[in-house]
Amino acid sequence: MIENPRPQPGAVLPASRLLLFGATGDLAQRMLIPSLFALHAEGLIAPELRIVGTARSELDDEGFRQVAAKALETHLSADARNPDAIPGFLERLKYVPLDASRPESFSALSQPLGVEHDQPIAIYLSTAPSLFGSTIAGLKLAGLDGPNVRIGLEKPLGHDLASSAVINDAVAAAYPEERTFRIDHYLGKETVQNLLALRFGNRMFEPLWNAEAIEHVQITVSETVGLEGRVSYYDGVGALRDMVQNHMLQLLALVAMEPPARFGPRSVRDEKLKVLRSLRPIDRATVASHTVTGQYAEGAVGGRAVPGYIDELGRASNTETFVALKAHVDNWRWHGVPFYLRTGKRLPNRHSEIYIQFREVPHSIFGSRGAVLQSNKLLIRIQPEESIRLLVMAKEPGLDREGIRLREVPLDLSLTTAFAGFRRRIAYERLLLDLIEGDPTLFVRRDEVEAQWQWIDAIRDGWDAAHVVPRPYAAGTWGPSAAIALTERDGVTWHD
């Protein structure tokens, strides 16, 4: 049972209602409903919170509860299953069929929400961006834009800076920045937050977290899947806008940011913004030397033959399914340190990781004894298995009559093992709870989004000017060979 202490003056109150748009969609069934159930089962949301789902599907309350029950049966992880908690969770649910393209129909929300004028409401938009404008207009007509209402926005938020500004302007007309929560689910992952703990909770790392000690940084987000039912969205968007513009640039910002004054929404996001604004533009002059694009052809992934992108799509396309970039953060801390970013579909395995390559020691005292030193490396694995691995040099056992032998050995922290008594959470659990409670720390601010789009738009302009066509690569490989050359020109090898 949750205790509800009397709030302090000016404190943000937890929402008493959660209005969930796109409640019958794929994201809701795979992530949102299981996440909300987990919060319910652990008593992390107040008993009075009601969840009102809405979508075009013509369902009543009972029909939506059946959809939710099926979603829990299909997608809930074994360690989150609690059959005794399911009836109580389903009782929280209500449903309103609604055509989000018709703002005048939003008055139907008033009775199911059933809240007093000043009770806090959280709204979660998991809808197509084309419906954002009409949805905001409908919410305003229904009076759901007051100071007690905050709104969460699921990506994509536009396809470039201009279209993003149109969406953000429409949202800002009803919800000021402090009540707008832009969602990047990567920021809800435990290991991403552990990156902040690693840097700012341990004295040993921060003095070395700069160009003096770090040679380069690699960020890889690889997928084994192809289109997987995302044909209508993915083609024309591509890897740069789908993954780099949001997830990967947010990871880069967390790696490169200065220490914030405190772990709070303004401090953390201010420091991320400084990094994003310090990114050296990749423009028409440098796009050929600093970027590589690819598109998967037929091949084999995990021992299974898979078709090429064009075969899956059913038509010709120049959409990139792979992109590799060489980026620089132009400030004192990172002067001269390249950041290599790589993401793609139909790659050999699925993982997201940050790889930090430290510089060599300035002088080896073991050279005369025949020992070979390797630079230290830090590997932060975000998924599928969350772990932190530091590779250090250690002496092999022995009497050293033929010289000292040193070997690279790992210092491993498996978060799964170290915190074996803790359930591994879906990132959306944290983000939904933060939206309900009104904590914006792990959400993306508008000026961050615009800085990201400005950098991405310059790359796409360079591609258009140079008539860049994605290079083919066989499914099940690490992209086109040009991606290897991108790093090897600098004497660097991708960490696979």
Side-chain angles (χ1 to χ4, degrees):
M1 183 69 67
I2 288 181
E3 294 183 3
N4 290 307
R6 184 180 298 276
Q8 297 298 312
V12 177
L13 296 174
S16 61
R17 298 291 185 269
L18 174 63
L19 177 56
L20 183 62
F21 281 81
T24 60
D26 181 64
L27 178 66
Q29 293 184 57
R30 287 188 300 107
M31 296 292 180
L32 305 183
I33 290 173
S35 295
L36 288 167
F37 170 76
L39 297 175
H40 162 85
E42 294 185 42
L44 294 173
I45 50 178
E48 62 268 22
L49 177 72
R50 294 292 176 264
I51 301 167
V52 179
T54 181
R56 288 192 178 190
S57 303
E58 288 293 336
L59 300 172
D60 56 13
D61 291 351
E62 186 55 36
F64 180 48
R65 288 166 183 160
Q66 291 176 11
V67 170
K70 180 65 175 177
L72 296 179
E73 178 184 342
T74 305
H75 300 292
L76 199 62
S77 63
D79 60 351
R81 292 186 185 278
N82 184 348
D84 294 339
I86 291 178
F89 173 72
L90 297 179
E91 280 299 311
R92 290 183 185 264
L93 305 183
K94 291 181 175 294
Y95 184 81
V96 180
L98 192 70
D99 183 351
S101 66
R102 297 177 56 244
E104 66 275 10
S105 66
F106 278 59
S107 58
L109 294 170
S110 300
Q111 191 276 330
L113 284 174
V115 294
E116 298 297 330
H117 178 69
D118 60 347
Q119 284 187 293
I121 301 172
I123 301 173
Y124 190 108
L125 293 190
S126 176
T127 58
S130 60
L131 295 174
F132 277 8
S134 60
T135 300
I136 299 298
L139 291 170
K140 290 182 69 175
L141 282 174
L144 293 171
D145 61 338
N148 60 318
V149 183
R150 48 187 171 265
I151 190 165
L153 307 174
E154 184 65 56
K155 76 156 191 157
L157 297 179
H159 59 270
D160 58 14
L161 180 58
S163 59
S164 175
V166 170
I167 292 172
N168 281 311
D169 286 345
V171 174
Y175 305 96
E177 186 63 36
E178 64 269 18
R179 292 193 280 114
T180 300
F181 292 62
R182 295 173 191 81
I183 293 157
D184 185 332
H185 74 268
Y186 261 57
L187 299 183
K189 293 180 179 292
E190 286 288 353
T191 319
V192 172
Q193 295 159 62
N194 252 311
L195 174 59
L196 297 179
L198 184 77
R199 284 193 59 189
F200 306 127
N202 297 283
R203 173 112 187 191
M204 68 184 76
F205 286 110
E206 187 55 26
L208 301 176
W209 211 264
N210 53 51
E212 290 289 325
I214 292 177
E215 180 184 274
H216 74 266
V217 177
Q218 298 180 26
I219 302 176
T220 295
V221 178
S222 63
E223 301 179 280
T224 57
V225 298
L227 288 178
E228 301 293 308
R230 300 178 75 209
V231 175
S232 60
Y233 165 72
Y234 193 87
D235 191 60
V237 173
L240 185 71
R241 289 185 282 199
D242 185 45
M243 293 297 295
V244 179
Q245 186 274 330
N246 40 77
H247 305 326
M248 300 190 76
L249 287 185
Q250 283 291 314
L251 292 178
L252 185 154
L254 290 172
V255 170
M257 65 190 277
E258 296 296 319
R262 59 191 58 83
F263 187 68
R266 180 165 184 171
S267 295
V268 171
R269 297 192 290 182
D270 280 352
E271 297 303 336
K272 286 194 296 173
L273 178 63
K274 291 176 186 177
V275 174
L276 296 169
R277 287 179 172 171
S278 297
L279 282 169
R280 184 185 304 170
I282 299 176
D283 54 19
R284 296 183 179 189
T286 56
V287 73
S289 59
H290 285 63
T291 73
V292 174
T293 66
Q295 186 185 91
Y296 65 83
E298 64 181 10
V301 177
R304 180 175 62 90
V306 296
Y309 180 81
I310 297 302
D311 298 320
E312 286 188 274
L313 188 62
R315 62 177 184 274
S317 172
N318 283 333
T319 296
E320 81 283 358
T321 64
F322 174 95
V323 63
L325 307 170
K326 177 183 176 181
H328 288 89
V329 178
D330 283 336
N331 61 22
W332 279 25
R333 180 183 288 263
W334 298 108
H335 177 71
V337 177
F339 287 72
Y340 301 102
L341 280 60
R342 174 180 60 165
T343 186
K345 291 186 175 295
R346 292 295 192 207
L347 300 184
N349 55 59
R350 171 182 172 264
H351 68 252
S352 300
E353 68 178 29
I354 300 165
Y355 176 84
I356 312 289
Q357 172 75 60
F358 290 91
R359 297 190 185 278
E360 296 180 352
V361 297
H363 171 70
S364 173
I365 67 171
F366 306 105
S368 61
R369 304 294 296 274
V372 178
L373 293 182
Q374 297 186 52
S375 302
N376 301 133
K377 307 168 186 71
L378 179 64
L379 182 64
I380 303 168
R381 179 64 63 89
I382 297 167
Q383 65 180 20
E385 292 297 324
E386 299 170 334
S387 64
I388 298 171
R389 166 178 282 199
L390 178 63
L391 295 169
V392 300
M393 298 304 296
K395 177 186 171 300
E396 289 185 2
L399 297 176
D400 312 320
R401 306 317 298 164
E402 296 179 357
I404 292 178
R405 296 182 183 274
L406 301 182
R407 180 190 300 178
E408 188 178 63
V409 296
L411 301 179
D412 277 335
L413 170 60
S414 166
L415 299 182
T416 305
T417 302
F419 300 106
F422 293 80
R423 183 174 64 81
R424 296 180 65 190
R425 295 187 178 278
I426 303 172
Y428 279 99
E429 291 180 42
R430 176 179 296 277
L431 297 175
L432 284 166
L433 184 59
D434 285 353
L435 173 63
I436 291 167
E437 294 184 342
D439 182 352
T441 305
L442 297 178
F443 295 83
V444 184
R445 210 165 56 192
R446 176 173 182 167
D447 48 11
E448 292 180 73
V449 174
E450 292 180 343
Q452 291 168 185
W453 273 125
Q454 186 173 9
W455 195 72
I456 293 297
D457 284 356
I459 296 173
R460 292 201 59 85
D461 174 71
W463 288 351
D464 291 342
H467 305 291
V468 170
V469 176
R471 305 163 190 254
Y473 64 94
T477 66
W478 282 106
S481 58
I484 300 173
L486 178 71
T487 59
E488 288 193 342
R489 285 196 296 266
D490 301 330
V492 172
T493 301
W494 287 108
H495 181 264
D496 295 336

